[in-house]
């Protein structure tokens, strides 16, 4: 291995790849490289092989800030999975074992080549809330619903090497990752030497980016890309631009990391950082706690960046100590980071593609909504913003309703109490949830202190508001209990409901029946407030159209206020004994909160919380399963099914698809998210997936969610483009999974239309606008699209992860040229498309598209082929990356490198 140097720490000698030697050899200036680019440079230098050669190093060592060139072959050191996205990934690995055996290979050839950790955190639903027994009830239901999935994961745990599972009731993947799983700097024995190198990772959750708060480079990928990484395949991506975000000054009293994250999200969305790295620095950087940095890093998907990187510094070391890491590890991290130029130096500013300055002193309390996380609203403007949105045109900031909406009211009748009344803008769900904020002791203890002061003032929460507390790890419960603040949250209804991603992923569970009936009776526009990172349409709860992101203390405050139409900066939260109580009366000071953090958040509590990370759950330990190399599929299972991707797999490369006579399956507008394309929430009775489950005699109570059924392609392909808020322009005025089936003129479900096209031997195309596929790293948004027979997606722009997922499933992403769109060419979706794709395409080639109109006329125009790296072309030739990996593993004539 070239460019080696030695380092001695605690009398032990280590070897590492020396960045200074690499850059000196290549005539480059190491000091001008962003820290995130340094991590990539070290990784590429260390992973030299036949595929990752020295030819890639100059693109990073001589990184051109304004116009980076070349591509990066990246091999992460670890992969993390959560169960929603992890189950289908493991299903694919199991199916690949079957395919290997069918081609004469060994099942064990399909096995993780790097450490893989799956955290079961997305399956708990808030079936019960507001009671002491909520967590026990929800957990019992979780195990009832997911017995097949958990049995499958136990099989994987025993059958695959390098594969471990963190069981339910432990915490959210990203919080467990940052608090326990990552050592920041890793070591392994290589050629009889102890080799040190940075931890890097990819995860099947878009918020994997949270780990960047710890100075660890990582980001979310679709399950398909994660599977490739697990099997030793590098991912290739264009050398990134790096946007430097310079923080100055300090945040004022009364603001939180959530407020900062919403500010950064708003600013960076406007700056269009999609597909770029973001790196934080500046004199204000040192004033941010690591939990604050983690909150910022977590929100990277919301501002569109690949990652929000926070370089290692003294605060990183302090956090490692606080979370109970060993002093030996902390010394090793410090020594290596300083020796190899990864330790943040405020006096030397790297060169960035662009620098954006954010004054921390200007951060103000805020919410974001009602439909997108980038739509920040300062706290004093929330009421007015909501009221304007009610009658504004349908869109991210509008519901398109008439003035009559203000006259609506619904009575909520209780069997044991006086009736309540609901009106437009009332809050019916308030949730402290999600990895974004629950990993931050400052905001969680702020919420607890605010609850304490609220109770002392005699404040209460209406029964019409569903309240829940879903921490990201058990450490949160520990310090809330030890500080004596948990009982105050409970008195306001914020009882523990589970450790997992609940409301933020759509696992919010049902509202009280009387509340649900009242909303339905008047079709009432009601609201939720949650401390999560996502509030896309149809995601939080099917009956709640206005959803707002807020810090945990503001979630509690709005639960008390009961309406999004209250200006919490001027109006009282409530009147108690004829006295108004204002938010300012109960908001805790920074000094109060920091005193609680210092006293109750420490290494002993963290060590206790994580001492039995993998074996503390007795229900999980009791699950019995087989230990066979190949999984024994159960044909009747509605959770786990053998996917069809490898049914026609042969040694030879398949012939390219003929891209002619493509019918439009859906014509979509801007900001279509992966939640629109592949919803994760509840399955309705009248949906294509619901009808399938009824045919299988599954009772409605056991439908569970799309997220939990991702191991069954029959259900997931029926759910593709199944979001109840999807607007397909082929059926004007419609919402949901419907389309115009052109051969007969019928309006059909998208699934039924797709199956009809497949029976007729016709392939399909999707037309879309800007930011297609923004949101979660949801591989089923690409898998389902492929199974519906879509060969091409033509969009104005793509979100990074979804574009990659499409390519890895063999789907061709085409992009209109700058300034052009469907409207430019008067395309209404009734046209039939042909694509002039050559047999040997090249990266970002211009491709001609011809659309034949129903009146016989045609229009032709050029588009950009979004194959962004040579590897994308290889994937397309193999009809996907997974068939390519199988051919490569089976060593079938070297076709994998065609």
């Amino acid at each position: 291995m070239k460019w080696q140097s030695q380092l001695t720490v605690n009398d032990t000698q280590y070897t590492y790849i020396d960045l200074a030697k690499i850059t000196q050899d290549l005539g480059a200036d190491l000091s001008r490289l962003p820290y995130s680019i340094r991590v990539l440079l070290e990784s590429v230098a260390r992973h030299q092989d036949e595929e990752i050669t020295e030819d890639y190093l100059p693109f990073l060592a001589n990184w051109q800030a304004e116009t980076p060139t070349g591509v990066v072959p990246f091999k992460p050191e670890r992969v993390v999975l959560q169960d929603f996205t992890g189950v289908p990934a493991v299903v694919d690995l199991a199916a690949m074992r079957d395919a290997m055996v069918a081609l004469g290979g060994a099942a064990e050839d399909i096995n993780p080549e790097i450490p893989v950790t799956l955290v079961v955190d997305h399956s708990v639903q808030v079936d019960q809330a507001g009671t002491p027994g909520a967590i026990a009830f929800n957990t019992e239901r979780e195990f009832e619903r997911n017995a097949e999935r958990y049995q499958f994961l136990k099989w994987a745990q025993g059958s695959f090497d390098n594969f471990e599972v963190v069981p339910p009731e432990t915490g959210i993947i990203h919080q467990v990752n940052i608090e326990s799983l990552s050592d920041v700097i890793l070591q392994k024995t290589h050629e009889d030497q102890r080799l040190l190198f940075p931890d890097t990772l990819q995860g099947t959750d878009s918020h994997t980016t949270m780990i960047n708060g710890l100075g660890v480079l990582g980001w979310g990928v679709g399950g398909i890309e994660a599977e490739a990484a697990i099997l030793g395949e590098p991912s290739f991506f264009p050398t990134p631009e790096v946007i430097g975000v310079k923080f100055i000054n300090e945040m004022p009293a009364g603001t939180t990391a959530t407020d900062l994250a919403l500010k950064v999200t708003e600013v960076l969305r406007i700056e269009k950082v999609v597909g770029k790295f973001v790196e934080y620095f500046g004199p204000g950087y040192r004033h941010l706690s690591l939990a604050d940095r983690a909150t910022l890093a977590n929100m990277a998907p919301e501002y569109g960046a690949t990652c929000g990187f926070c370089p290692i510094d003294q605060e990183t070391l302090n956090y490692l100590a606080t979370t109970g890491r060993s002093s030996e590890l902390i010394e090793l991290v410090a020594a290596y980071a300083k020796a190899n130029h990864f330790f943040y130096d405020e006096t030397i500013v790297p060169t960035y593609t662009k620098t954006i300055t954010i004054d921390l002193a200007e951060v103000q309390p805020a919410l974001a909504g009602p439909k997108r996380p980038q739509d920040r609203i300062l706290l004093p403007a929330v009421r007015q913003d909501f009221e304007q949105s009610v009658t504004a045109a349908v869109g991210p900031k509008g519901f398109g309703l008439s003035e009559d909406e203000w006259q609506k009211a619904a009575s909520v009748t209780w069997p044991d109490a006086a009736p309540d009344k609901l009106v437009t803008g009332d809050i019916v769900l308030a949730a402290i949830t999600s990895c974004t904020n629950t990993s931050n002791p400052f905001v969680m203890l702020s919420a607890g202190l605010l609850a304490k002061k609220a109770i002392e003032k005699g404040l209460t929460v209406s029964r019409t508001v569903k309240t829940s507390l879903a921490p990201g790890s058990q450490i949160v419960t520990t310090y809330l209990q030890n500080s004596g603040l948990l009982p105050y949250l409970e008195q306001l209804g914020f009882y523990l409901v589970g450790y997992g991603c609940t409301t933020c992923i759509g696992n919010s569970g049902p509202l009280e029946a009387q509340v649900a009936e009242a909303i339905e009776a008047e079709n009432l526009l009601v609201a939720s407030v949650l401390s999560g990172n996502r509030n896309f349409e149809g995601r939080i709860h099917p009956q709640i159209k206005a959803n707002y992101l807020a810090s945990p203390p503001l979630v509690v405050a709005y639960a008390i206020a009961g309406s999004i139409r209250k200006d919490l900066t001027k109006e009282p939260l409530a009147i108690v004994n004829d006295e108004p109580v204002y938010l300012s009366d109960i908001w805790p000071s920074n000094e109060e909160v920091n005193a609680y953090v210092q006293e109750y958040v420490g290494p002993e509590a963290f060590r206790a919380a994580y001492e039995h990370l993998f074996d503390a759950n007795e229900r999980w330990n009791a699950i019995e399963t087989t230990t066979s190399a190949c999984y024994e599929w159960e044909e009747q299972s509605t959770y786990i099914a053998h996917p069809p991707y490898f049914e026609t797999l042969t040694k030879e490369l398949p012939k390219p698809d003929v891209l002619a006579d493509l019918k439009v399956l859906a014509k979509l507008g801007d900001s279509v998210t992966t939640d629109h394309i592949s919803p994760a929430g509840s399955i309705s009775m009248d949906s294509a997936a619901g009808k399938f489950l009824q045919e299988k005699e599954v009772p409605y109570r056991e439908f569970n969610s799309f997220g939990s059924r991702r191991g069954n392609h029959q259900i997931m392909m029926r759910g593709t483009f199944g979001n109840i808020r999807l607007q397909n322009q082929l059926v004007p005025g419609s919402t949901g999974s419907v389309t115009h089936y052109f051969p007969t003129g019928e309006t059909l479900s998208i699934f039924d239309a797709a199956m009809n096209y497949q029976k007729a031997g016709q392939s399909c195309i999707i037309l879309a606008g800007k930011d297609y596929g923004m949101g979660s790293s949801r591989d089923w948004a690409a898998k389902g699209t492929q199974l519906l027979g879509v060969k091409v997606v033509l969009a104005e722009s793509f979100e990074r992860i979804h574009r990659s997922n499409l390519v890895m499933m063999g789907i061709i992403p085409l992009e209109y040229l700058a300034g052009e769109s469907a409207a430019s060419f008067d395309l209404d979706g009734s046209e039939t498309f042909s694509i002039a794709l050559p047999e040997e395409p090249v990266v970002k080639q211009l491709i001609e598209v011809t659309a034949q109109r129903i009146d016989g006329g045609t229009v032709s125009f050029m588009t950009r082929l979004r194959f962004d790296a040579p590897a994308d072309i290889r994937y397309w030739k193999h009809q996907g990356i997974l068939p390519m990996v199988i051919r490569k593993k089976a060593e079938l004539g070297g076709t994998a490198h065609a």
Side-chain angles (χ1 to χ4, degrees):
M1 222 179 235
K2 294 176 68 176
W3 307 296
Q4 290 185 3
S5 287
Q6 275 69 47
L7 175 69
T8 300
V9 185
N10 291 324
D11 298 325
T12 302
Q13 188 175 69
Y14 299 91
T15 300
Y16 65 95
I17 302 299
D18 192 330
L19 292 182
K21 288 183 177 180
I22 299 172
T23 49
Q24 185 176 5
D25 269 9
L26 296 174
D29 182 359
L30 177 58
S31 67
R32 61 176 291 276
L33 294 181
Y35 292 90
S36 51
I37 294 296
R38 300 179 196 189
V39 177
L40 293 179
L41 177 61
E42 192 279 342
S43 175
V44 173
R46 183 165 37 84
H47 285 113
Q48 296 287 292
D49 59 18
E50 291 181 3
E51 195 165 15
I52 302 177
T53 66
E54 289 186 24
D55 295 340
Y56 290 102
L57 291 173
F59 299 122
L60 294 167
N62 295 291
W63 179 75
Q64 302 300 306
E66 292 187 7
T67 54
T69 57
V71 296
V72 179
F74 181 67
K75 283 189 174 184
E77 303 307 324
R78 297 186 293 126
V79 167
V80 292
L81 314 171
Q82 41 98 325
D83 55 310
F84 266 18
T85 50
V87 165
V90 179
V91 165
D92 289 350
L93 292 175
M96 290 173 77
R97 281 193 163 183
D98 293 343
M100 281 293 294
V101 172
L103 291 176
E108 290 81 1
D109 288 341
I110 301 296
N111 208 69
E113 296 188 10
I114 57 176
V116 179
T117 306
L118 186 147
V119 182
V120 183
D121 67 345
H122 275 55
S123 295
V124 62
Q125 298 184 36
V126 189
D127 294 290
Q128 191 176 101
T131 68
I135 185 169
F137 182 90
N138 295 334
T139 301
E140 186 173 347
R141 288 289 291 128
E142 175 189 355
F143 272 84
E144 286 175 10
R145 287 189 180 109
N146 297 289
E148 291 179 47
R149 298 170 69 240
Y150 291 175
Q151 187 177 48
F152 174 67
L153 290 176
K154 280 294 288 282
W155 167 81
Q157 187 178 31
S159 186
F160 290 110
D161 297 331
N162 279 334
F163 185 86
E164 57 189 5
V165 178
V166 176
E169 293 185 88
T170 305
I172 291 173
I173 176 174
H174 315 303
Q175 192 162 345
V176 172
N177 195 16
I178 201 167
E179 291 177 353
S180 176
L181 297 180
S182 177
D183 285 341
V184 184
I185 301 302
L186 306 179
Q187 58 177 293
K188 68 179 178 183
T189 301
H190 177 78
E191 297 177 353
D192 296 327
Q193 296 177 319
R194 288 176 181 258
L195 182 64
L196 292 179
F197 49 93
D199 183 17
T200 58
L201 74 153
Q202 292 176 332
T204 59
D205 188 293
S206 49
H207 296 103
T208 301
T209 53
M210 186 169 178
I211 199 67
N212 289 272
L214 195 60
V216 174
L217 187 63
W219 53 81
V221 296
I224 313 141
E225 189 172 348
E227 291 162 41
I230 288 168
L231 295 170
E233 290 293 314
S235 60
F236 291 81
F237 54 88
T239 304
E241 296 180 13
V242 182
I243 307 301
V245 175
K246 180 181 180 180
F247 289 132
I248 60 174
N249 297 319
E250 296 184 55
M251 287 172 56
T255 58
T256 66
T258 314
D259 301 317
L260 174 60
L262 295 180
K263 166 77 171 177
V264 170
T265 299
E266 178 188 49
V267 170
L268 295 186
R269 266 292 168 187
I270 294 170
E271 290 288 343
K272 296 181 169 37
V273 298
V274 173
K276 302 175 185 179
F277 282 18
V278 164
E279 187 166 295
Y280 297 108
F281 75 106
Y285 180 65
R286 67 175 180 271
H287 297 305
L288 297 178
S289 72
L290 198 128
D292 293 345
R293 298 173 187 181
T295 306
L296 281 174
N298 181 288
M299 292 287 281
E302 279 63 60
Y303 44 83
T306 302
C307 62
F309 190 73
C310 301
I312 297 168
D313 67 356
Q314 185 59 45
E315 175 59 21
T316 316
L317 305 180
N318 295 343
Y319 182 79
L320 292 176
T322 298
T323 50
R325 268 72 162 214
S326 69
S327 59
E328 292 79 10
L329 174 65
I330 296 167
E331 289 177 40
L332 191 67
V333 170
Y336 172 81
K338 291 173 181 177
N340 210 17
H341 306 278
F342 287 116
F343 202 84
Y344 178 62
D345 184 346
E346 189 179 324
T347 65
I348 302 174
V349 179
T351 303
Y352 293 107
T353 303
K354 182 177 183 179
T355 297
I356 298 164
T357 300
I358 292 180
D359 188 345
L360 297 177
E362 295 178 355
V363 173
Q364 300 177 57
L367 277 66
K371 302 180 184 182
R372 299 190 306 182
Q374 65 262 42
D375 295 328
R376 184 175 70 119
I377 316 156
L378 296 180
L379 189 59
V382 170
R383 173 178 180 162
Q384 182 183 10
D385 188 88
F386 172 76
E387 290 176 349
Q388 289 175 343
S389 74
V390 172
T391 54
V394 173
K397 295 291 288 185
F399 296 99
L401 302 174
S402 71
E403 293 289 344
D404 293 343
E405 192 66 26
W406 301 117
Q407 310 307 316
K408 287 185 177 180
S411 180
V412 182
T413 57
W414 305 110
D416 54 354
D420 283 310
K421 185 173 78 169
L422 285 180
V423 298
T424 300
D426 276 358
I427 292 166
V428 296
L429 189 151
I432 299 175
T433 181
S434 175
C435 46
T436 319
N437 293 288
T438 62
S439 61
N440 193 320
F442 185 93
V443 296
M444 294 301 292
L445 287 166
S446 293
L449 279 165
L450 186 140
K452 179 177 184 290
K453 292 171 183 286
I455 293 297
E456 291 168 349
K457 290 282 188 181
L459 296 172
T460 60
V461 173
S462 169
R463 186 172 172 180
T464 56
V465 183
K466 181 174 183 176
T467 48
S468 61
L469 170 63
S473 77
Q474 294 182 7
I475 187 67
V476 180
T477 312
T478 299
Y479 63 66
L480 284 175
Q481 284 176 332
N482 291 346
S483 65
L485 296 178
L486 187 60
Y488 295 104
L489 285 164
E490 292 174 342
Q491 287 182 65
L492 292 175
F494 289 93
Y495 283 92
L496 191 65
V497 296
Y499 295 97
C501 189
T502 54
T503 304
C504 200
I505 192 63
N507 285 350
S508 50
L511 301 173
E512 286 263 20
Q514 293 88 341
V515 174
E517 290 164 8
I519 295 169
E520 289 296 323
E522 296 294 333
N523 191 22
L524 203 59
L525 175 57
V526 290
S528 77
V529 182
L530 63 146
S531 68
N533 44 37
R534 291 275 165 84
N535 56 342
F536 299 130
E537 287 186 287
R539 181 182 178 104
I540 305 304
H541 191 283
Q543 292 179 299
I544 306 173
K545 297 174 185 175
N547 300 283
Y548 292 87
L549 306 182
S551 65
L554 280 179
V555 169
V556 177
Y558 268 103
I560 295 166
S563 174
I564 206 70
R565 294 181 67 194
K566 277 191 179 179
D567 180 352
L568 301 195
T569 64
K570 294 179 181 177
E571 300 176 61
L573 296 173
I575 306 294
V576 181
N577 297 326
D578 297 326
E579 289 292 325
V581 181
Y582 294 89
L583 179 62
S584 58
D585 295 331
I586 62 171
W587 192 270
S589 69
N590 284 11
E591 292 75 18
E592 287 179 277
V593 180
N594 283 324
Y596 271 75
V597 172
Q598 291 299 316
E599 186 168 355
Y600 298 107
V601 182
E604 295 79 12
F606 277 92
R607 290 191 191 105
Y610 284 105
E611 186 177 6
H612 295 284
L613 181 61
F614 298 102
D615 61 7
N617 191 304
E618 293 303 326
R619 276 198 185 99
W620 176 264
N621 296 340
I623 296 173
E624 296 181 359
T625 187
T626 65
T627 56
S628 57
C630 289
Y631 185 66
E632 298 169 9
W633 307 92
E634 296 180 24
E635 284 193 22
Q636 299 307 310
S637 173
T638 56
Y639 278 97
I640 306 297
H642 194 294
Y645 311 126
F646 313 117
E647 289 177 353
T648 59
L649 184 68
T650 60
K651 173 180 178 178
E652 298 77 20
L653 283 174
K655 291 183 179 180
D657 293 315
V658 177
L659 301 174
D661 196 28
L662 301 180
K663 297 295 185 182
V664 179
L665 186 61
K667 181 174 183 288
L668 307 170
D670 295 342
S671 299
V672 169
T673 71
T674 49
D675 280 277
H676 287 111
I677 305 168
S678 183
S682 58
I683 301 172
S684 66
M685 290 277 284
D686 58 355
S687 66
K691 292 173 182 174
F692 174 83
L693 287 172
Q694 290 173 69
E695 290 170 7
K696 296 292 184 180
E697 299 183 348
V698 176
Y700 180 62
R701 183 175 182 269
E702 303 300 329
F703 272 20
N704 214 331
S705 63
F706 279 114
S708 67
R709 291 189 179 273
R710 286 181 183 171
N712 189 309
H713 62 279
Q714 294 287 0
I715 291 167
M716 297 309 295
M717 63 192 289
R718 285 166 170 80
T720 304
F721 299 105
N723 189 299
I724 58 174
R725 306 291 179 216
L726 183 77
Q727 294 178 316
N728 184 356
Q729 296 170 12
L730 296 185
V731 187
S734 70
T735 57
S737 183
V738 293
T739 194
H740 185 85
Y741 182 60
F742 289 101
T744 64
E746 296 173 89
T747 296
L748 298 177
S749 74
I750 287 178
F751 172 77
D752 287 337
M755 294 302 101
N756 287 349
Y757 282 129
Q758 286 193 26
K759 288 175 187 173
Q762 283 189 309
S763 298
C764 293
I765 184 172
I766 299 291
L767 304 182
K770 298 181 183 71
D771 297 330
Y772 183 71
M774 64 186 293
S776 301
S777 56
R778 197 157 294 169
D779 60 334
W780 264 111
K783 289 178 176 176
T785 299
Q786 188 235 47
L787 291 176
L788 291 181
V790 174
K791 302 296 182 183
V792 178
V793 177
L794 173 58
E796 292 180 56
S797 64
F798 291 90
E799 195 81 353
R800 175 187 65 86
I801 298 174
H802 187 58
R803 183 213 66 85
S804 177
N805 282 348
L806 290 173
V807 171
M808 289 183 170
M809 287 306 297
I811 299 170
I812 298 164
L814 295 178
E815 204 165 77
Y816 294 101
L817 301 185
E820 296 180 350
S821 64
S824 303
F825 305 107
D826 196 27
L827 304 175
D828 63 11
S830 64
E831 303 82 8
T832 300
F833 287 78
S834 296
I835 315 294
L837 190 72
E839 287 190 15
E840 297 294 335
V842 298
V843 169
K844 294 190 176 179
Q845 183 175 355
L846 290 179
I847 301 294
E848 185 177 31
V849 173
T850 300
Q852 183 170 356
R853 305 187 193 278
I854 53 178
D855 62 7
T858 61
V859 58
S860 295
F861 52 94
M862 302 306 290
T863 62
R864 179 78 60 191
L865 176 63
R866 285 299 309 274
F867 287 167
D868 289 357
D872 289 350
I873 299 169
R874 277 207 304 279
Y875 306 153
W876 169 72
K877 286 184 175 183
H878 284 268
Q879 293 186 343
I881 190 171
L882 301 185
M884 186 195 84
V885 170
I886 292 175
R887 292 188 178 102
K888 189 173 180 178
K889 291 285 183 185
E891 296 181 347
L892 298 179
T895 56
H897 293 285

